Amino acid sequence: MDLIFENLCNLVFPGILKNKINESENNGLIRIWVAGCSTGEEVYSLAICIKEYLGANAEKLQIFATDISEPAIIKAR
């Protein structure tokens, strides 16, 4: 599992930030969508990981989580 988070920090997050720096809309707001969130653990783990990566810049972050199962969404909330 650690390799997944290392790949996020080394490959995915830098690409997201690079695109945000080149984009003037939304005042640099970073939005992440997690599809198939099930119980919300995936979203929570991702939120911790990106918050640690961003440090002080984490205030411009929104994470959306969705799932096809309404009971799963209710439980995740």
Side-chain angles (χ1 to χ4, degrees):
M1 193 63 135
D2 290 334
L3 183 59
I4 293 169
F5 291 109
E6 283 181 39
N7 284 334
L8 283 171
C9 290
N10 295 329
L11 303 172
V12 177
F13 296 158
I16 291 171
L17 288 179
K18 182 181 176 186
N19 288 336
K20 277 294 157 197
I21 290 169
N22 296 332
E23 191 178 291
S24 62
E25 64 185 48
N26 297 327
N27 294 324
L29 178 65
I30 297 169
R31 290 186 176 134
I32 298 174
W33 173 34
V34 180
C37 72
S38 184
T39 61
E41 294 169 15
E42 305 86 351
V43 180
Y44 188 76
S45 297
L46 182 66
I48 291 170
C49 187
I50 195 164
K51 184 166 173 44
E52 288 178 1
Y53 180 82
L54 292 173
N57 295 320
E59 72 275 356
K60 294 192 172 195
L61 174 66
Q62 286 183 336
I63 301 176
F64 301 91
T66 59
D67 195 278
I68 196 164
S69 169
E70 186 64 30
I73 292 293
I74 292 169
K75 184 176 180 181
R77 283 188 190 131

Coordinates of all heavy atoms in Angstrom, one line a residue:
M1 N 0.8 -1.2 0.0 CA 0.0 0.0 0.0 C 0.9 1.3 0.0 O 0.5 2.3 -0.6 CB -0.9 0.0 1.2 CG -2.0 1.0 1.1 SD -3.1 0.7 -0.2 CE -4.7 0.9 0.5
D2 N 2.0 1.2 0.7 CA 2.9 2.4 0.7 C 3.3 2.8 -0.7 O 3.5 4.0 -1.0 CB 4.1 2.1 1.6 CG 3.8 2.0 3.0 OD1 2.8 2.6 3.5 OD2 4.5 1.3 3.8
L3 N 3.5 1.8 -1.6 CA 3.9 2.1 -3.0 C 2.9 3.0 -3.7 O 3.2 3.9 -4.4 CB 4.2 0.8 -3.7 CG 4.7 1.0 -5.2 CD1 6.0 1.8 -5.2 CD2 4.9 -0.3 -5.8
I4 N 1.6 2.7 -3.4 CA 0.5 3.5 -4.0 C 0.6 4.9 -3.6 O 0.6 5.8 -4.4 CB -0.8 2.9 -3.6 CG1 -1.0 1.5 -4.2 CG2 -2.0 3.8 -4.0 CD1 -2.2 0.7 -3.7
F5 N 0.8 5.2 -2.3 CA 0.9 6.6 -1.8 C 2.2 7.2 -2.3 O 2.2 8.4 -2.6 CB 0.8 6.6 -0.3 CG -0.6 6.2 0.2 CD1 -0.9 5.0 0.8 CD2 -1.7 7.1 0.0 CE1 -2.1 4.7 1.2 CE2 -3.0 6.8 0.4 CZ -3.2 5.6 1.0
E6 N 3.3 6.5 -2.4 CA 4.5 7.0 -2.9 C 4.3 7.4 -4.4 O 4.8 8.5 -4.8 CB 5.6 6.0 -2.9 CG 6.2 5.8 -1.5 CD 7.4 4.8 -1.5 OE1 8.2 4.8 -2.5 OE2 7.5 4.1 -0.5
N7 N 3.6 6.6 -5.2 CA 3.3 7.0 -6.6 C 2.4 8.2 -6.7 O 2.6 9.0 -7.5 CB 2.7 5.8 -7.3 CG 3.7 4.7 -7.7 OD1 4.9 5.0 -7.8 ND2 3.2 3.5 -7.8
L8 N 1.5 8.3 -5.8 CA 0.6 9.5 -5.7 C 1.5 10.8 -5.5 O 1.4 11.7 -6.2 CB -0.4 9.4 -4.6 CG -1.6 8.5 -4.9 CD1 -2.5 8.4 -3.6 CD2 -2.5 9.1 -6.0
C9 N 2.4 10.7 -4.5 CA 3.2 11.8 -4.2 C 4.3 12.1 -5.3 O 4.6 13.3 -5.5 CB 3.9 11.6 -2.8 SG 2.7 11.7 -1.5
N10 N 4.8 11.1 -5.9 CA 5.8 11.3 -6.9 C 5.4 11.5 -8.3 O 6.1 12.1 -9.1 CB 6.8 10.1 -6.9 CG 7.5 10.0 -5.6 OD1 7.8 11.0 -4.9 ND2 7.8 8.8 -5.1
L11 N 4.2 11.0 -8.7 CA 3.7 11.0 -10.0 C 2.4 11.8 -10.2 O 2.3 12.7 -11.1 CB 3.5 9.6 -10.6 CG 4.7 8.7 -10.5 CD1 4.3 7.3 -10.9 CD2 5.8 9.2 -11.4
V12 N 1.5 11.6 -9.4 CA 0.1 12.1 -9.6 C 0.0 13.6 -9.1 O -0.4 14.5 -9.8 CB -1.0 11.3 -9.0 CG1 -2.3 11.9 -9.1 CG2 -0.9 9.9 -9.6
F13 N 0.4 13.8 -7.8 CA 0.2 15.1 -7.3 C 1.0 16.2 -8.0 O 0.5 17.3 -8.2 CB 0.5 15.1 -5.8 CG -0.5 14.3 -4.9 CD1 -0.1 13.8 -3.7 CD2 -1.7 13.9 -5.4 CE1 -0.9 13.0 -3.0 CE2 -2.6 13.2 -4.7 CZ -2.2 12.7 -3.4
P14 N 2.3 15.9 -8.3 CA 3.0 17.0 -9.1 C 2.4 17.3 -10.4 O 2.4 18.5 -10.8 CB 4.4 16.3 -9.3 CG 4.5 15.3 -8.2 CD 3.1 14.8 -8.0
G15 N 1.8 16.4 -11.1 CA 1.1 16.7 -12.3 C -0.2 17.5 -12.1 O -0.5 18.5 -12.8
I16 N -0.9 17.3 -11.0 CA -2.1 18.1 -10.7 C -1.6 19.5 -10.4 O -2.2 20.5 -10.8 CB -2.8 17.5 -9.5 CG1 -3.5 16.1 -9.9 CG2 -3.8 18.4 -8.9 CD1 -4.1 15.3 -8.7
L17 N -0.6 19.7 -9.6 CA -0.1 21.0 -9.2 C 0.4 21.8 -10.4 O 0.2 23.0 -10.6 CB 1.0 20.9 -8.2 CG 0.5 20.5 -6.8 CD1 1.6 20.5 -5.8 CD2 -0.6 21.5 -6.3
K18 N 1.1 21.1 -11.3 CA 1.6 21.7 -12.5 C 0.5 22.2 -13.4 O 0.5 23.4 -13.9 CB 2.4 20.7 -13.3 CG 3.0 21.3 -14.6 CD 3.8 20.3 -15.4 CE 4.3 20.9 -16.7 NZ 5.0 19.9 -17.5
N19 N -0.6 21.5 -13.5 CA -1.8 21.9 -14.3 C -2.4 23.1 -13.6 O -2.9 24.0 -14.3 CB -2.7 20.8 -14.5 CG -2.2 19.7 -15.4 OD1 -1.4 20.0 -16.3 ND2 -2.7 18.5 -15.3
K20 N -2.5 23.1 -12.3 CA -3.1 24.2 -11.6 C -2.3 25.5 -11.7 O -2.8 26.6 -11.8 CB -3.3 23.9 -10.1 CG -4.5 23.1 -9.9 CD -5.7 23.9 -10.2 CE -6.9 23.2 -10.5 NZ -7.9 24.0 -11.2
I21 N -1.0 25.4 -11.7 CA -0.1 26.6 -11.8 C -0.3 27.2 -13.2 O -0.4 28.4 -13.3 CB 1.4 26.2 -11.6 CG1 1.6 25.8 -10.2 CG2 2.3 27.3 -12.0 CD1 2.9 25.2 -9.9
N22 N -0.5 26.4 -14.2 CA -0.7 26.9 -15.6 C -2.1 27.3 -15.9 O -2.4 27.8 -16.9 CB -0.3 25.8 -16.6 CG 1.2 25.5 -16.5 OD1 2.0 26.3 -16.1 ND2 1.5 24.3 -16.8
E23 N -3.0 27.2 -14.9 CA -4.4 27.5 -15.1 C -4.8 28.6 -14.2 O -4.6 28.5 -13.0 CB -5.2 26.2 -14.7 CG -6.7 26.2 -15.1 CD -7.3 24.9 -14.7 OE1 -7.0 23.9 -15.4 OE2 -8.1 24.9 -13.8
S24 N -5.4 29.7 -14.7 CA -5.7 30.8 -13.9 C -7.1 30.7 -13.3 O -7.4 31.5 -12.4 CB -5.6 32.1 -14.7 OG -6.5 32.1 -15.8
E25 N -8.0 29.9 -13.8 CA -9.3 29.8 -13.3 C -9.4 29.1 -11.9 O -8.5 28.4 -11.5 CB -10.3 29.1 -14.3 CG -9.9 27.6 -14.5 CD -10.7 26.9 -15.5 OE1 -10.9 27.5 -16.6 OE2 -11.2 25.8 -15.2
N26 N -10.4 29.4 -11.2 CA -10.6 28.8 -9.8 C -9.6 29.2 -8.8 O -9.5 28.6 -7.7 CB -10.7 27.3 -9.9 CG -11.9 26.8 -10.7 OD1 -12.9 27.5 -10.8 ND2 -11.7 25.7 -11.4
N27 N -8.8 30.2 -9.0 CA -7.8 30.7 -8.1 C -6.9 29.6 -7.5 O -6.6 29.6 -6.3 CB -8.5 31.5 -6.9 CG -9.2 32.7 -7.4 OD1 -8.7 33.4 -8.3 ND2 -10.3 33.1 -6.9
G28 N -6.6 28.7 -8.3 CA -5.7 27.6 -7.9 C -6.3 26.5 -7.1 O -5.6 25.7 -6.5
L29 N -7.6 26.5 -7.0 CA -8.4 25.5 -6.3 C -8.1 24.2 -6.9 O -8.3 24.0 -8.1 CB -9.9 25.8 -6.2 CG -10.8 24.8 -5.5 CD1 -10.4 24.8 -4.0 CD2 -12.2 25.2 -5.7
I30 N -7.8 23.2 -6.1 CA -7.6 21.8 -6.5 C -8.8 21.0 -6.2 O -9.2 21.0 -5.0 CB -6.3 21.2 -5.9 CG1 -5.1 22.0 -6.3 CG2 -6.2 19.7 -6.2 CD1 -3.8 21.6 -5.5
R31 N -9.4 20.4 -7.2 CA -10.5 19.5 -6.9 C -10.2 18.1 -7.3 O -9.7 17.9 -8.4 CB -11.7 20.0 -7.8 CG -12.3 21.3 -7.3 CD -13.5 21.7 -8.0 NE -14.1 22.9 -7.5 CZ -14.5 23.9 -8.2 NH1 -14.5 23.9 -9.5 NH2 -15.1 25.0 -7.6
I32 N -10.5 17.2 -6.5 CA -10.3 15.8 -6.7 C -11.6 15.0 -6.5 O -12.4 15.3 -5.6 CB -9.2 15.2 -5.7 CG1 -7.9 15.9 -6.0 CG2 -9.1 13.7 -5.9 CD1 -6.9 15.5 -5.0
W33 N -11.9 14.1 -7.5 CA -13.1 13.3 -7.4 C -12.7 11.9 -7.2 O -11.9 11.3 -8.0 CB -13.9 13.5 -8.7 CG -15.1 12.6 -8.8 CD1 -15.9 12.2 -7.8 CD2 -15.6 12.1 -10.0 NE1 -16.9 11.4 -8.3 CE2 -16.8 11.3 -9.7 CE3 -15.3 12.1 -11.4 CZ2 -17.5 10.6 -10.6 CZ3 -16.0 11.4 -12.3 CH2 -17.1 10.7 -11.9
V34 N -13.3 11.2 -6.2 CA -13.1 9.8 -5.9 C -14.3 9.1 -6.3 O -15.3 9.3 -5.6 CB -12.6 9.6 -4.5 CG1 -12.4 8.1 -4.2 CG2 -11.4 10.4 -4.1
A35 N -14.3 8.3 -7.3 CA -15.5 7.5 -7.7 C -15.5 6.2 -7.0 O -14.4 5.6 -6.8 CB -15.5 7.3 -9.2
G36 N -16.6 5.7 -6.6 CA -16.7 4.4 -5.9 C -16.1 4.5 -4.5 O -15.2 3.6 -4.2
C37 N -16.5 5.4 -3.7 CA -15.9 5.7 -2.4 C -16.3 4.7 -1.4 O -15.6 4.6 -0.3 CB -16.2 7.1 -2.0 SG -17.9 7.3 -1.4
S38 N -17.3 3.8 -1.6 CA -17.7 2.8 -0.6 C -17.9 3.4 0.7 O -18.9 4.1 0.9 CB -16.6 1.7 -0.6 OG -17.0 0.6 0.2
T39 N -17.1 3.1 1.7 CA -17.3 3.6 3.1 C -16.6 4.9 3.4 O -16.7 5.4 4.5 CB -16.8 2.5 4.1 OG1 -15.4 2.4 3.9 CG2 -17.5 1.2 3.9
G40 N -15.9 5.5 2.5 CA -15.3 6.8 2.7 C -13.8 6.7 3.1 O -13.1 7.6 3.2
E41 N -13.4 5.4 3.4 CA -12.0 5.3 3.9 C -11.0 5.7 2.8 O -9.9 6.2 3.1 CB -11.7 3.8 4.3 CG -12.5 3.4 5.5 CD -12.5 1.9 5.7 OE1 -11.6 1.2 5.1 OE2 -13.3 1.4 6.5
E42 N -11.3 5.4 1.5 CA -10.5 5.7 0.4 C -10.3 7.2 0.3 O -9.2 7.7 0.1 CB -11.0 5.2 -0.9 CG -11.3 3.7 -0.9 CD -12.7 3.4 -0.4 OE1 -13.4 4.3 0.2 OE2 -13.1 2.2 -0.5
V43 N -11.4 8.0 0.5 CA -11.3 9.4 0.4 C -10.5 10.0 1.6 O -9.7 10.9 1.4 CB -12.8 10.0 0.4 CG1 -12.8 11.5 0.3 CG2 -13.6 9.4 -0.7
Y44 N -10.8 9.5 2.7 CA -10.1 9.9 3.9 C -8.6 9.7 3.8 O -7.8 10.6 4.0 CB -10.6 9.2 5.1 CG -10.1 9.7 6.5 CD1 -10.6 10.9 7.0 CD2 -9.1 9.1 7.2 CE1 -10.1 11.4 8.2 CE2 -8.6 9.5 8.4 CZ -9.1 10.7 8.9 OH -8.6 11.2 10.0
S45 N -8.2 8.6 3.3 CA -6.7 8.3 3.1 C -6.1 9.2 2.0 O -5.0 9.7 2.2 CB -6.5 6.8 2.6 OG -7.0 5.9 3.6
L46 N -6.8 9.4 1.0 CA -6.4 10.3 -0.1 C -6.3 11.8 0.5 O -5.3 12.5 0.2 CB -7.3 10.3 -1.3 CG -6.9 11.2 -2.5 CD1 -5.6 10.7 -3.1 CD2 -8.0 11.2 -3.5
A47 N -7.2 12.2 1.3 CA -7.2 13.5 1.9 C -6.0 13.7 2.7 O -5.3 14.7 2.7 CB -8.5 13.8 2.6
I48 N -5.7 12.7 3.6 CA -4.5 12.8 4.4 C -3.2 12.9 3.6 O -2.3 13.7 3.8 CB -4.4 11.6 5.4 CG1 -5.5 11.6 6.4 CG2 -3.0 11.5 6.1 CD1 -5.7 10.4 7.2
C49 N -3.1 12.0 2.6 CA -1.9 12.0 1.7 C -1.7 13.3 1.0 O -0.6 13.9 1.0 CB -2.1 10.9 0.7 SG -0.6 10.5 -0.3
I50 N -2.7 13.9 0.4 CA -2.5 15.1 -0.4 C -2.3 16.3 0.6 O -1.6 17.2 0.2 CB -3.7 15.4 -1.4 CG1 -3.2 16.4 -2.4 CG2 -5.0 15.7 -0.8 CD1 -4.0 16.5 -3.7
K51 N -3.0 16.3 1.7 CA -2.8 17.4 2.7 C -1.3 17.4 3.2 O -0.7 18.4 3.3 CB -3.7 17.2 3.9 CG -3.6 18.4 4.9 CD -4.8 18.3 5.8 CE -4.7 19.3 6.9 NZ -4.3 20.7 6.6
E52 N -0.8 16.2 3.4 CA 0.6 16.2 3.8 C 1.5 16.6 2.7 O 2.5 17.3 2.9 CB 1.0 14.7 4.2 CG 0.4 14.3 5.6 CD 0.8 12.9 5.9 OE1 1.5 12.2 5.2 OE2 0.3 12.5 7.0
Y53 N 1.2 16.3 1.4 CA 2.0 16.7 0.3 C 1.9 18.2 0.1 O 2.9 18.8 -0.2 CB 1.5 16.0 -1.0 CG 2.2 16.3 -2.2 CD1 3.4 15.7 -2.5 CD2 1.7 17.3 -3.1 CE1 4.2 16.0 -3.6 CE2 2.5 17.6 -4.2 CZ 3.7 17.0 -4.5 OH 4.4 17.3 -5.6
L54 N 0.7 18.8 0.2 CA 0.5 20.2 -0.1 C 1.0 21.1 1.1 O 1.4 22.2 0.8 CB -0.9 20.5 -0.3 CG -1.5 19.9 -1.6 CD1 -3.0 20.2 -1.6 CD2 -0.9 20.5 -2.8
G55 N 1.0 20.6 2.3 CA 1.5 21.4 3.4 C 0.6 22.6 3.6 O -0.7 22.5 3.7
A56 N 1.1 23.8 3.6 CA 0.4 25.0 3.9 C -0.6 25.4 2.8 O -1.5 26.1 3.0 CB 1.4 26.2 4.1
N57 N -0.4 24.8 1.6 CA -1.3 25.1 0.4 C -2.5 24.2 0.4 O -3.3 24.3 -0.5 CB -0.5 24.9 -0.9 CG 0.6 25.9 -1.0 OD1 0.5 27.0 -0.6 ND2 1.7 25.4 -1.5
A58 N -2.8 23.4 1.5 CA -3.9 22.5 1.5 C -5.2 23.2 1.6 O -6.3 22.6 1.4 CB -3.7 21.5 2.6
E59 N -5.2 24.5 1.9 CA -6.5 25.2 2.1 C -7.3 25.4 0.8 O -8.5 25.7 0.8 CB -6.3 26.6 2.8 CG -5.7 27.6 1.9 CD -4.2 27.6 1.9 OE1 -3.6 26.8 2.7 OE2 -3.6 28.4 1.2
K60 N -6.6 25.2 -0.3 CA -7.3 25.3 -1.6 C -7.6 23.9 -2.2 O -7.1 23.6 -3.3 CB -6.5 26.2 -2.6 CG -6.3 27.6 -2.1 CD -5.7 28.4 -3.2 CE -5.8 29.9 -2.8 NZ -5.6 30.8 -3.9
L61 N -8.2 23.1 -1.4 CA -8.5 21.7 -1.8 C -9.9 21.3 -1.6 O -10.5 21.6 -0.5 CB -7.5 20.8 -1.0 CG -7.7 19.3 -1.2 CD1 -7.4 18.9 -2.6 CD2 -6.8 18.6 -0.1
Q62 N -10.5 20.7 -2.6 CA -11.9 20.1 -2.4 C -11.8 18.7 -2.9 O -11.2 18.4 -4.0 CB -12.9 20.9 -3.2 CG -13.3 22.2 -2.7 CD -14.4 22.8 -3.5 OE1 -14.6 22.5 -4.7 NE2 -15.2 23.7 -2.9
I63 N -12.4 17.8 -2.1 CA -12.4 16.4 -2.5 C -13.9 16.0 -2.6 O -14.6 16.1 -1.6 CB -11.6 15.5 -1.6 CG1 -10.2 15.9 -1.5 CG2 -11.8 14.0 -2.0 CD1 -9.3 15.2 -0.6
F64 N -14.3 15.5 -3.7 CA -15.7 15.0 -3.9 C -15.6 13.4 -3.9 O -14.7 12.9 -4.5 CB -16.2 15.5 -5.2 CG -16.3 16.9 -5.3 CD1 -15.2 17.7 -5.9 CD2 -17.4 17.7 -4.9 CE1 -15.3 19.0 -6.0 CE2 -17.4 19.0 -5.0 CZ -16.4 19.7 -5.5
A65 N -16.6 12.8 -3.3 CA -16.6 11.3 -3.3 C -18.0 10.9 -3.7 O -19.0 11.5 -3.2 CB -16.3 10.8 -1.9
T66 N -18.1 9.9 -4.6 CA -19.4 9.4 -5.0 C -19.3 7.9 -5.1 O -18.3 7.3 -5.1 CB -19.7 9.9 -6.4 OG1 -18.7 9.5 -7.3 CG2 -19.8 11.4 -6.5
D67 N -20.5 7.3 -5.0 CA -20.6 5.9 -5.1 C -22.0 5.6 -5.7 O -22.9 6.4 -5.5 CB -20.5 5.2 -3.8 CG -20.3 3.7 -3.9 OD1 -21.3 3.0 -4.1 OD2 -19.1 3.3 -3.8
I68 N -22.2 4.5 -6.4 CA -23.4 4.2 -7.0 C -24.5 3.7 -6.0 O -25.7 3.8 -6.2 CB -23.3 3.1 -8.1 CG1 -24.5 3.1 -9.0 CG2 -22.9 1.8 -7.6 CD1 -24.3 2.4 -10.3
S69 N -24.0 3.3 -4.9 CA -24.9 2.8 -3.8 C -25.2 3.9 -2.8 O -24.4 4.4 -2.1 CB -24.2 1.6 -3.1 OG -24.9 1.3 -1.9
E70 N -26.5 4.2 -2.8 CA -27.0 5.2 -1.8 C -26.7 4.9 -0.4 O -26.3 5.7 0.4 CB -28.5 5.5 -2.0 CG -29.0 6.7 -1.2 CD -28.4 8.0 -1.6 OE1 -28.0 8.2 -2.8 OE2 -28.3 8.9 -0.7
P71 N -26.9 3.6 0.0 CA -26.5 3.3 1.4 C -25.0 3.5 1.7 O -24.7 3.9 2.8 CB -26.9 1.8 1.5 CG -28.0 1.6 0.5 CD -27.6 2.5 -0.6
A72 N -24.2 3.2 0.7 CA -22.7 3.5 0.9 C -22.4 4.9 1.1 O -21.6 5.3 1.9 CB -21.9 2.9 -0.2
I73 N -23.1 5.8 0.4 CA -22.9 7.2 0.5 C -23.4 7.7 1.9 O -22.7 8.5 2.5 CB -23.7 8.0 -0.6 CG1 -23.0 7.7 -2.0 CG2 -23.7 9.5 -0.3 CD1 -21.6 8.3 -2.1
I74 N -24.5 7.2 2.3 CA -25.1 7.6 3.6 C -24.1 7.2 4.7 O -23.8 8.0 5.6 CB -26.5 7.0 3.8 CG1 -27.5 7.7 2.9 CG2 -26.9 7.2 5.3 CD1 -28.8 7.0 2.8
K75 N -23.5 6.0 4.6 CA -22.6 5.5 5.6 C -21.3 6.3 5.6 O -20.8 6.7 6.6 CB -22.3 4.0 5.4 CG -21.4 3.4 6.4 CD -21.1 2.0 6.2 CE -20.2 1.4 7.2 NZ -19.9 0.0 7.0
A76 N -20.8 6.7 4.4 CA -19.6 7.5 4.3 C -19.8 8.9 4.8 O -18.8 9.4 5.4 CB -19.2 7.5 2.8
R77 N -21.0 9.4 4.7 CA -21.2 10.8 5.3 C -21.1 10.7 6.8 O -20.7 11.6 7.4 CB -22.6 11.3 4.9 CG -22.7 11.7 3.5 CD -24.0 12.4 3.2 NE -24.2 12.6 1.8 CZ -25.2 12.3 1.1 NH1 -26.2 11.7 1.6 NH2 -25.3 12.5 -0.2

